[in-house]
Amino acid sequence: MRPDRNGSLEGMNEPVFARLQHLMTLREEVETLGLGGPWTPPADWVDQGTHLLLLLDVPGVDAGTLELHEEGGSVTIAGRREMPERALSAERPGGTFTRTLPFPEAVIPQSGQASLNAGVLSVRFEKRHPTIDVHASDTNQA
C-alpha cells in the first residue's frame, strides 16, 4: 500500500498495519538488547488436569522484582534482571521484561499460586472447568 498525496497510510487495512507495528516493536527490542532493555523469557503452559501450570524461565531475576497480574483471559508477569557491572562479554539479556500470556483454558480468577525454584517461575492456576480423564475411571470399574 502506498501513502496518499499527504503521506498518510489511512487506506492500509488493519491486519497489515498491526503486523507492521509488531515488526517495529520487535526491531526496537532487538536494538535495546545490549543496553539492558526489554527481554522475553520463554514460557510453557502445562495441563495438569484440574490445574494449568505456567513455567517461565527467569534465571538471575531477583524474586523481589517479580510481579504477576491477572486480567480477563490473560496473565502478565514482569520483573528485572540486573546486568553485571564491568562485564567483559555479555550475551545474556538483562533489564526489565514484561510478558502477557493468554490462558489456554478458562481459570478461576485470582487462583494463581506462584513459586520460584532454580530460576523457573511456576504459577499454578485452578481451571474453571477441569479436565476429567474418562478412560481412567472406566478402567477402574472394569
Side-chain angles (χ1 to χ4, degrees):
M1 177 107 230
R2 293 184 187 181
D4 62 17
R5 291 182 183 165
N6 300 324
S8 172
L9 296 175
E10 288 181 30
M12 186 178 282
N13 65 30
E14 288 298 317
V16 173
F17 188 62
R19 279 184 268 167
L20 180 60
Q21 284 184 316
H22 180 69
L23 287 172
M24 291 171 62
T25 301
L26 287 174
R27 179 177 170 249
E28 289 172 8
E29 289 178 4
V30 168
E31 288 176 350
T32 60
L33 277 177
L35 305 174
W39 58 285
T40 304
D44 295 327
W45 283 107
V46 179
D47 186 340
Q48 294 187 318
T50 59
H51 291 80
L52 289 176
L53 179 65
L54 173 62
L55 302 171
L56 196 74
D57 288 348
V58 290
V61 172
D62 180 12
T65 68
L66 288 170
E67 297 178 17
L68 184 119
H69 302 282
E70 286 181 50
E71 188 171 324
S74 64
V75 59
T76 299
I77 300 101
R80 179 171 184 77
R81 176 166 55 202
E82 297 297 327
M83 294 293 292
E85 288 187 33
R86 302 178 52 142
L88 298 176
S89 173
E91 293 182 0
R92 298 177 322 125
T96 59
F97 76 87
T98 302
R99 187 88 198 261
T100 300
L101 300 157
F103 290 112
E105 294 183 38
V107 299
I108 296 175
Q110 308 304 317
S111 65
Q113 297 178 342
S115 64
L116 181 63
N117 186 21
V120 178
L121 176 65
S122 301
V123 188
R124 193 168 185 241
F125 298 93
E126 188 173 347
K127 288 183 183 181
R128 184 175 306 257
H129 306 288
T131 304
I132 300 170
D133 189 354
V134 176
H135 299 290
S137 61
D138 288 346
T139 57
N140 292 339
Q141 294 176 355

